[in-house]
Amino acid sequence: MATKLPSIDVLLIGFGWTGAIVAQELADTGLSIVALERGQWRDTPTDFAPTFDQDELRYMWRHHLFQKAPSETFTFRNNQNQTALPIREWGSFLPGEGVGGAGVHWNGQAWRFLEKDFAQKSHNQQRYGKAAVDGFDMTIQDWPVSYADLEPHYDKFERICGIGGKAGNIGGAIQPGGNPFEGPRSREFPNPAMEQTYGPALFAEAAQSLGYNPFPQPSANMSQPYTNPLGLQLGPCTYCGFCEKFGCGNYSKASPQTTILPVLMKKSNFTLKTGSTVLKLNLDDSKTKVVSATYVDHAGQEFEQPADLVILCAYPFANAQLMLLSGIGKPYDPKTGQGVVGRNYAYQITSSVNVFYDDKLINPFIGSGALGMCIDEFNGDNFDHKDLGFISGGFIQVLNTGGRPIEMIYVPDGVPKWGAAWKKAAAQSYLRTTTVATHGAVMSHRGNYLDLDPTYRDVYGRPLLRITFDYTEQEHRMSDYLTDRAADIARAMKPREIKVNKRTGAYDVAPYQTTHNTGGTVSGTDPSTSVTNPYLQSWDVSNLFLMGAGAFPQNAGYNPTMTVAALAYHSLEKIKSTYLKNPGPLVSQVGR
Amino acid sequence: MRAAAAAILLAVTAAGASATEQEDRGKYLVQAADCQPCHTKQGGQPWAGGLALDTPFGTLYSANLTPDKETGIGNWTPDQFYRALHEGIDDQGHHLYPAFPYNYFTRVTRDDSDAMLAYLKTVPPVKQASARNDLTWPFSMRWLMAGWNLLFLKEDTFKPDPAKSAEWNRGAYLVEVLGHCGDCHTPMNPVGAPKSDEAWRGGHIGDLFAPDLSANQRIGLGSWSTDDIVGFLKTGRNAHANASAAMGEVVEQSTQHLTDQDLKAIATYLQAIPASAEQLTEAASQDQMTLGKQVFDDQCSACHQPKAQGVPNLFPPLEHSAEVQQRDATTLIHVILTGTRTASTDTAPTPASMPAYDWKLTDDQIAAVTTYIRNAWGNSAPAVPVKDVAALRKKLVQDKPPA
């Protein structure tokens, strides 16, 4: 029997980046806010102090900062003809858990999406015809917001995080040294780009020789000391090379812990409850209002927390699962194409080309999660796709994230996977190898979706979320094209040899690829193809909002964090200006 | 005539001051005097006392200052409260122990004393009897304090020095009286009274060493500007040092709440303290310096920077740092063993932290790196013997009761 708690104004479920952003923005209204986080409190000196934060075994291989798969996981299958099985150990992606969420262990690659990414369907249909957007069972659609809508919010979050980079487009004027394809910025980045190391410099030189426009990766790892608009301070990055999968002990990486929480946690109207897993949302009789959330704490005690406004701030999987468990919104059915919750789950497709030198010391251990040079000639619709047989694209880069001794030793083709010959090649290659990577978009397809698993349950007895996903020919053609372009650049870097690692065959959930899972609770203008309206408000339950990359109608060829944050600020602006004064649907549903 | 008129005007103002104004002033004064941290135990109700204060003579427990009539000061009169501040004697006529710094508060003005009590009467009352003190004989005999007072208490009221500026005088009142800064920053004699001939040379507070506050260029505040001092007390950090541990608490609870004008007055007063005498130190052994540099390069340089120049206002510099060159290295050894956290203030909320190295470095390594940072980059201070590290490790880490 759940203990009923006194009602509060705002309840947040999940406490990573969006939870921190929402709480910080709403706390100044004076409303009483409670955030429920299933994981534990985490801060820099206690949980990832510089005396132990570069422990690859603990953090990378033993998954110290990630969701605890033995308690809560997902089932996976490639298609509807298979039986999904639980993912018992993370591989392809690494969901976060605990305060700060995956914002603690991200690399800090801080991209804005392209202007045309927000008009994915209409733009491509106009340029390449209807077949180009209907092929491969694609279910892509335009975003309900434009780049211009999000620009001020991108800008705001870049200031919160102290992003370092070089603008390529300020107010429509192309800037030398930046990304000429990016949407217009209102101003330059708050910090300069990071200092480049040898690998990225060789890439930039080669890319330039081929006529491309290399530019530095926008980075949430500090190129210099920085104080953000909340008065919080970040220190200069030490280029230790332990960002992705690790917390930063030097206050050099933007995370909720470094950029928001010390200010937020002092606010008397904000309460964070850790070790609190939400089991379901409870609706009123009309099914149009959420009245409370039921959660269980670490001692196994159940509580019911009533609230006037509920905002889901968890990872896309958890948000979708909670919607399905609570019976909010119509579950998606791939057979009929009807329903919305779980629809348009997407991912990304990556590949790489290793570049081996004899005569150049790359020193990969001097690294940072967002240290590198990129080209954007083959992202989005920055290039002509006519006759290519696919749409969209991705960026190509040499990113020197680090030279971590277990994960990041690359050897040429033909070298055995273990033994004396491997050791010799590893010793020879470690300091003399760099990697050109591609980071491609994945479109939405009719057969890729999320639903509740019919068989497997978590420790609380809830059905696991089932992921049904595979790359289609759209993704493979696009990724192969990107990989060929990457190989061209790799050859122009004049190495001894290269090794091309294309992404072949069915999507495999075992090898690490990227934690950029999107969709499932898509945002749109049409309630029949979206879960939320343009302000991330549930079409069905007006006092419920859903933050996060679940809102993406399809994925883009960039890391998602900045867009996730910009969408959250865009929603919060409307919540503060309109919803709090007059709670109710922010967008009317004409003809529904 | 004019003086008389001014006096009358003053009297009218004082009498006419609304209760709220007096309470507000009282709140500011108890913040300036940093009363609350000692009178609130960890996890306890504000002002309800019960905090254990470890002194060389045993354990003292702070009093309940809430207006609870039975266990707090609800029945105290302004006369009784003033007597406690002024003479160190409670409402029952019992002597208080000088862990309560009445040897500083004796000079609080009567007006300020009344305001402080007026404010304390407004905080929520908490029924919580003070724990019995646990002192070793003979210090367990309160009446002995009469003798202590005879020797060390100079009952007085603060009077401005007409030869000095109003700002200096305000600073003197804040530093010497309310702030009782000398309680930590002036060394104490064996019975816990300040050694007046060594004023501001730095002293022990628990297992920390509070640094020299004189105008000494190398180890005091001589190289700090007025803005440096104001910034340190306001934000908990500046280009020279970060406030953490005991001073971090002072900044968080007390000085960050003071007006800029008062902070500037404090700086003015501190900057006028004559420089302490230099002492010559012998050169540290080459072995310790060599090992110390290795440890510094591997463990410290990421935050404090390779040449120890620090990151202004975030990670303190060690080069030319007064803090690291104190005659006593207790604080340095302490923070290396246990780590520490910079004060989180309203103006600079980042609680920049130093991690604990007790599990990672040996006594030899800690002694060496401490000696190194005290003698590299032009710094100069006595070498740190390994046994000092071992003793502090035993006290802070090995003998520490489980949380």
Side-chain angles (χ1 to χ4, degrees):
Chain A
M1 185 63 196
T3 305
K4 193 162 181 171
L5 299 169
S7 187
I8 51 155
D9 295 324
V10 187
L11 179 66
L12 312 182
I13 296 169
F15 198 61
W17 264 128
T18 59
I21 288 168
V22 173
Q24 173 63 24
E25 289 294 304
L26 292 184
D28 291 336
T29 64
L31 296 171
S32 59
I33 305 169
V34 170
L36 300 174
E37 163 58 42
R38 66 183 167 187
Q40 295 300 294
W41 173 255
R42 290 194 307 217
D43 62 36
T44 305
T46 317
D47 299 281
F48 26 90
T51 40
F52 56 80
D53 67 330
Q54 293 116 339
D55 185 337
E56 188 182 352
L57 197 58
R58 174 181 182 171
Y59 291 106
M60 164 70 203
W61 298 99
R62 293 179 178 162
H63 297 177
H64 194 77
L65 295 172
F66 311 148
Q67 182 174 322
K68 305 292 172 270
S71 313
E72 286 182 80
T73 186
F74 317 109
T75 64
F76 170 76
R77 58 182 182 173
N78 278 126
N79 60 62
Q80 294 166 67
N81 298 322
Q82 297 175 337
T83 301
L85 292 172
I87 301 170
R88 295 185 188 273
E89 188 175 317
W90 303 124
S92 165
F93 50 82
L94 306 167
E97 180 174 303
V99 168
V104 169
H105 72 254
W106 71 315
N107 252 338
Q109 296 170 31
W111 294 96
R112 297 179 176 198
F113 288 2
L114 295 166
E115 286 179 282
K116 288 178 183 123
D117 285 341
F118 296 94
Q120 185 71 284
K121 184 163 186 179
S122 56
H123 169 78
N124 280 294
Q125 183 165 331
Q126 192 187 2
R127 185 167 179 187
Y128 304 112
K130 195 165 174 353
V133 294
D134 288 345
F136 312 108
D137 267 343
M138 274 195 282
T139 48
I140 60 173
Q141 59 202 47
D142 285 359
W143 291 58
V145 291
S146 67
Y147 174 85
D149 292 332
L150 296 188
E151 202 287 332
H153 307 296
Y154 275 128
D155 181 77
K156 176 170 182 162
F157 193 56
E158 284 168 353
R159 256 71 197 168
I160 288 286
C161 290
I163 304 301
K166 178 76 195 78
N169 181 343
I170 297 177
I174 301 302
Q175 307 290 312
N179 178 5
F181 299 97
E182 71 177 6
R185 296 172 173 274
S186 47
R187 50 183 168 166
E188 182 54 273
F189 284 96
N191 275 318
M194 301 190 82
E195 299 274 351
Q196 298 301 326
T197 49
Y198 198 20
L202 290 167
F203 170 83
E205 202 180 291
Q208 204 144 30
S209 76
L210 297 177
Y212 304 135
N213 292 282
F215 59 91
Q217 164 75 50
S219 170
N221 307 316
M222 295 307 107
S223 56
Q224 61 182 20
Y226 181 70
T227 303
N228 82 3
L230 299 176
L232 290 161
Q233 298 166 275
L234 291 111
C237 176
T238 63
Y239 297 77
C240 79
F242 286 77
C243 304
E244 182 183 28
K245 299 134 189 167
F246 304 85
C248 178
N250 296 76
Y251 296 82
S252 306
K253 176 166 69 176
S255 66
Q257 276 80 350
T258 51
T259 62
I260 296 174
L261 298 190
V263 170
L264 174 62
M265 298 308 291
K266 289 186 184 185
K267 296 191 188 280
S268 58
N269 55 330
F270 173 70
T271 306
L272 168 66
K273 293 183 178 178
T274 55
S276 303
T277 303
V278 175
L279 302 177
K280 67 184 288 236
L281 303 176
N282 305 301
L283 303 178
D284 71 359
D285 291 340
S286 72
K287 306 286 181 198
T288 60
K289 285 275 180 298
V290 55
V291 292
S292 65
T294 302
Y295 73 92
V296 59
D297 72 6
H298 267 186
Q301 286 180 294
E302 262 188 43
F303 296 90
E304 184 186 346
Q305 176 64 68
D308 292 339
L309 172 61
V310 176
I311 305 181
L312 304 190
C313 298
Y315 202 62
F317 291 129
N319 286 353
Q321 186 188 23
L322 199 54
M323 295 292 278
L324 292 166
L325 289 169
S326 307
I328 304 172
K330 190 177 175 193
Y332 174 67
D333 181 349
K335 294 192 172 64
T336 63
Q338 302 293 304
V340 287
V341 182
R343 179 174 171 272
N344 280 16
Y345 170 69
Y347 190 56
Q348 279 171 335
I349 184 162
T350 58
S351 68
S352 63
V353 180
N354 304 125
V355 184
F356 299 97
Y357 289 102
D358 284 327
D359 58 339
K360 291 184 169 61
L361 283 177
I362 301 295
N363 291 339
F365 51 85
I366 308 168
S368 180
L371 165 70
M373 294 294 288
C374 316
I375 63 158
D376 224 12
E377 268 76 3
F378 302 101
N379 210 335
D381 197 42
N382 294 343
F383 59 113
D384 190 352
H385 290 73
K386 191 167 178 290
D387 301 330
L388 290 176
F390 63 87
I391 58 169
S392 196
F395 59 74
I396 300 173
Q397 64 181 179
V398 164
L399 198 68
N400 204 139
T401 65
R404 301 188 287 274
I406 308 174
E407 182 190 359
M408 307 180 95
I409 294 180
Y410 307 102
V411 292
D413 276 327
V415 171
K417 296 217 179 295
W418 52 279
W422 179 85
K423 286 183 188 170
K424 186 164 177 250
Q428 164 65 24
S429 303
Y430 177 72
L431 296 176
R432 297 176 178 82
T433 304
T434 191
T435 298
V436 182
T438 81
H439 187 275
V442 165
M443 297 298 98
S444 308
H445 301 272
R446 182 166 175 155
N448 290 340
Y449 70 109
L450 309 171
D451 67 352
L452 293 177
D453 191 274
T455 308
Y456 294 96
R457 288 168 185 270
D458 67 14
V459 287
Y460 305 108
R462 303 178 300 176
L464 295 185
L465 191 76
R466 178 169 64 180
I467 303 165
T468 304
F469 178 79
D470 204 352
Y471 297 129
T472 69
E473 201 50 29
Q474 146 72 25
E475 279 72 39
H476 280 302
R477 282 183 196 171
M478 188 275 290
S479 183
D480 287 354
Y481 183 82
L482 277 182
T483 315
D484 289 342
R485 301 291 79 73
D488 293 344
I489 302 171
R491 284 186 204 97
M493 290 167 74
K494 301 189 178 67
R496 182 192 72 225
E497 65 179 294
I498 63 170
K499 180 184 173 192
V500 178
N501 310 297
K502 285 193 174 172
R503 188 69 60 186
T504 54
Y507 168 67
D508 181 353
V509 81
Y512 179 71
Q513 290 155 67
T514 176
T515 308
H516 301 156
N517 315 78
T518 61
T521 54
V522 161
S523 177
T525 50
D526 177 356
S528 71
T529 56
S530 57
V531 172
T532 63
N533 67 26
Y535 303 105
L536 308 183
Q537 179 184 36
S538 162
W539 287 114
D540 300 281
V541 176
S542 65
N543 64 338
L544 177 68
F545 288 73
L546 287 82
M547 301 291 142
F552 295 8
Q554 56 277 325
N555 217 334
Y558 295 108
N559 309 58
T561 300
M562 303 310 279
T563 302
V564 166
L567 281 175
Y569 284 118
H570 178 258
S571 164
L572 285 160
E573 188 178 63
K574 191 71 173 176
I575 289 173
K576 287 195 285 188
S577 70
T578 308
Y579 179 87
L580 293 179
K581 288 175 190 145
N582 185 18
L586 291 165
V587 178
S588 61
Q589 298 181 39
V590 181
R592 199 187 178 206
Chain B
M1 180 62 202
R2 278 173 72 180
I8 289 163
L9 196 67
L10 206 65
V12 169
T13 313
S18 74
T20 321
E21 273 167 3
Q22 190 192 32
E23 286 158 14
D24 284 351
R25 203 161 62 79
K27 181 178 182 185
Y28 185 81
L29 291 165
V30 299
Q31 278 176 338
D34 201 21
C35 307
Q36 198 178 337
C38 284
H39 286 281
T40 305
K41 71 176 173 189
Q42 208 168 7
Q45 296 290 322
W47 295 107
L51 181 79
L53 300 164
D54 289 323
T55 76
F57 321 112
T59 304
L60 286 160
Y61 294 91
S62 62
N64 181 345
L65 295 192
T66 72
D68 181 61
K69 290 193 186 308
E70 216 172 294
T71 61
I73 58 170
N75 286 324
W76 284 43
T77 64
D79 283 348
Q80 288 170 327
F81 189 78
Y82 181 67
R83 194 180 182 202
L85 296 181
H86 192 61
E87 299 173 41
I89 290 172
D90 73 8
D91 61 326
Q92 306 294 315
H94 296 140
H95 281 285
L96 298 165
Y97 287 99
F100 166 56
Y102 61 84
N103 49 328
Y104 292 87
F105 294 158
T106 183
R107 294 167 74 201
V108 169
T109 64
R110 177 60 197 249
D111 207 28
D112 283 355
S113 169
D114 290 354
M116 290 161 92
L117 179 66
Y119 167 70
L120 290 171
K121 292 264 171 120
T122 69
V123 308
V126 178
K127 194 177 284 303
Q128 179 180 297
S130 297
R132 277 183 69 86
N133 295 329
D134 184 15
L135 293 174
T136 50
W137 188 87
F139 304 105
S140 50
M141 296 184 293
R142 282 185 181 271
W143 59 266
L144 275 182
M145 290 305 115
W148 194 95
N149 292 346
L150 204 61
L151 288 168
F152 305 116
L153 176 65
K154 200 170 147 234
E155 280 178 36
D156 195 7
T157 297
F158 180 78
K159 288 177 204 73
D161 179 347
K164 306 277 191 181
S165 70
E167 190 171 56
W168 183 94
N169 275 302
R170 177 64 180 166
Y173 185 61
L174 288 163
V175 170
E176 297 277 7
V177 184
L178 287 175
H180 59 285
C181 307
D183 212 26
C184 295
H185 291 279
T186 290
M188 284 188 185
N189 70 17
V191 290
K195 292 183 186 171
S196 47
D197 55 333
E198 293 182 34
W200 304 114
R201 287 215 52 212
H204 286 275
I205 161 80
D207 298 307
L208 294 164
F209 184 81
D212 188 310
L213 293 190
S214 77
N216 188 308
Q217 283 282 335
R218 197 171 58 80
I219 61 168
L221 297 176
S223 60
W224 291 28
S225 68
T226 305
D227 284 349
D228 286 341
I229 296 174
V230 170
F232 184 82
L233 297 173
K234 186 90 192 164
T235 67
R237 61 208 72 195
N238 62 20
H240 304 283
N242 289 23
S244 70
M247 192 63 201
E249 200 172 69
V250 171
V251 171
E252 282 181 355
Q253 305 263 356
S254 173
T255 59
Q256 72 157 323
H257 303 294
L258 301 185
T259 62
D260 287 355
Q261 200 183 354
D262 273 351
L263 293 176
K264 203 154 165 280
I266 290 174
T268 300
Y269 181 78
L270 291 176
Q271 287 176 310
I273 297 170
S276 56
E278 279 297 336
Q279 59 180 30
L280 293 171
T281 52
E282 286 178 34
S285 82
Q286 200 50 54
D287 284 355
Q288 261 200 326
M289 291 295 280
T290 303
L291 175 59
K293 180 173 172 14
Q294 284 172 7
V295 176
F296 174 83
D297 288 347
D298 287 348
Q299 306 292 337
C300 316
S301 65
C303 291
H304 292 288
Q305 304 298 298
K307 288 177 181 152
Q309 71 273 35
V311 177
N313 301 306
L314 186 61
F315 304 131
L318 305 179
E319 177 195 30
H320 304 315
S321 157
E323 178 77 45
V324 308
Q325 298 179 77
Q326 296 301 305
R327 59 193 161 88
D328 182 299
T330 306
T331 298
L332 287 185
I333 304 168
H334 191 141
V335 301
I336 293 170
L337 283 168
T338 65
T340 192
R341 220 173 268 216
T342 304
S344 172
T345 55
D346 293 342
T347 42
T350 295
S353 307
M354 157 112 178
Y357 284 88
D358 63 295
W359 61 276
K360 201 172 190 184
L361 296 177
T362 64
D363 292 346
D364 279 347
Q365 288 173 315
I366 292 175
V369 75
T370 311
T371 299
Y372 176 74
I373 64 175
R374 282 159 70 76
N375 290 283
W377 318 293
N379 291 349
S380 170
V384 174
V386 177
K387 68 173 172 47
D388 287 7
V389 180
L392 202 57
R393 181 195 294 275
K394 184 164 163 34
K395 195 168 173 193
L396 296 176
V397 183
Q398 288 161 359
D399 291 353
K400 190 182 165 197

